Amino acid sequence: NVALAVFNLLPGFPLDGGRVLRSLVWRATGSLDRATRVASAVGQAVGYLMVAGGVATALAGGTIGGIWLAFIGWFLAQAARASVRQVEVQRRLEAAEARDVMETDLVTIPPSLTVREAVDRYFTRSIRSVFPVQDDGETRGLLTLGAVKRLPEGQWDDRRVEELMEPLGEECTIDPTTPMETVVERLREGPRTRCLVMADGRVVGIVTPGEVARWLGGR
């Protein structure tokens, strides 16, 4: 227990000692980002020192103990590096709204088309797997590739888009000004892997985990 307590108090983020260090730097600089970077750098240094110590121990004959120490050090270094990225992501999400991330280049399908016409005109000519169904400027639902695949191909000429579309009531719908923190939370907890951005009764954008990842990666 004493050894565990001492290890946990090492000034390597995200250990408790690293969190104390980050708090002290935060108070001194007034910047959480800078404090996190400093604590993370110290955490990585501590981790790699443990790796070096583990390798030396293993070479000296303490194979099991050395490997275990090196593994813990490597894990600590990776966790410290990830902590910086986590803070950066959190900061970007706090400062963004759905309209900053959503995909706006949407193609809509009229509800009167047959399923085969929708497949031939839209799905086979695009990499998209979902299309808003719009009538007289109002979005009535979504036609998804999954719904098309579940329908036997022999019925594609007899069934229309409006019969196969998913109603908006079953979708995650948000406003363009919805904070991205809220959007990510709804994507994580909801049954759907997308959120529709609605304005004036129509879909103006779609936010998916892929869109969020591309937005974060394009910083």
Side-chain angles (χ1 to χ4, degrees):
N1 288 337
V2 172
L4 181 60
V6 171
F7 171 74
N8 203 36
L9 289 176
L10 290 175
F13 196 80
L15 297 176
D16 287 345
R19 296 182 184 278
V20 172
L21 173 63
R22 183 175 72 161
S23 298
L24 294 175
V25 177
W26 188 4
R27 180 171 183 176
T29 63
S31 171
L32 176 59
D33 290 343
R34 184 176 180 182
T36 301
R37 293 180 185 280
V38 170
S40 173
V42 174
Q44 292 181 64
V46 171
Y48 289 128
L49 284 175
M50 292 176 64
V51 171
V55 172
T57 301
L59 293 176
T63 306
I64 301 300
I67 293 176
W68 183 243
L69 181 61
F71 174 76
I72 294 176
W74 177 85
F75 178 80
L76 177 60
Q78 297 306 308
R81 180 181 299 177
S83 66
V84 174
R85 177 59 175 165
Q86 183 179 5
V87 170
E88 291 176 348
V89 168
Q90 185 65 30
R91 288 295 190 187
R92 291 201 67 190
L93 291 176
E94 289 176 353
E97 297 177 341
R99 59 187 171 189
D100 300 318
V101 182
M102 67 183 186
E103 178 188 359
T104 57
D105 185 19
L106 302 179
V107 178
T108 61
I109 296 180
S112 58
L113 291 184
T114 65
V115 175
R116 186 172 300 278
E117 288 174 327
V119 171
D120 292 341
R121 298 183 189 179
Y122 297 92
F123 286 102
T124 59
R125 301 182 182 182
S126 173
I127 61 172
R128 304 179 192 279
S129 61
V130 56
F131 291 90
V133 180
Q134 191 165 303
D135 187 26
D136 293 332
E138 181 180 355
T139 303
R140 296 176 52 188
L142 292 180
L143 182 64
T144 67
L145 182 59
V148 172
K149 287 182 175 180
R150 288 191 295 269
L151 182 70
E153 187 173 352
Q155 301 181 30
W156 286 6
D157 291 312
D158 302 322
R159 302 287 296 277
R160 298 196 175 276
V161 169
E162 59 188 351
E163 301 176 61
L164 207 61
M165 68 181 184
E166 299 177 2
L168 293 181
E170 299 178 4
E171 296 290 333
C172 164
T173 57
I174 55 177
D175 187 84
T177 59
T178 302
M180 276 306 301
E181 281 186 299
T182 302
V183 176
V184 170
E185 192 68 23
R186 295 190 65 178
L187 286 173
R188 184 184 299 121
E189 296 181 350
R192 303 291 183 182
T193 57
R194 59 185 173 262
C195 280
L196 306 180
V197 185
M198 303 287 296
D200 299 325
R202 61 188 182 92
V203 176
V204 295
I206 295 180
V207 179
T208 65
E211 290 298 325
V212 176
R214 282 189 288 272
W215 175 72
L216 290 173
R219 58 194 177 123

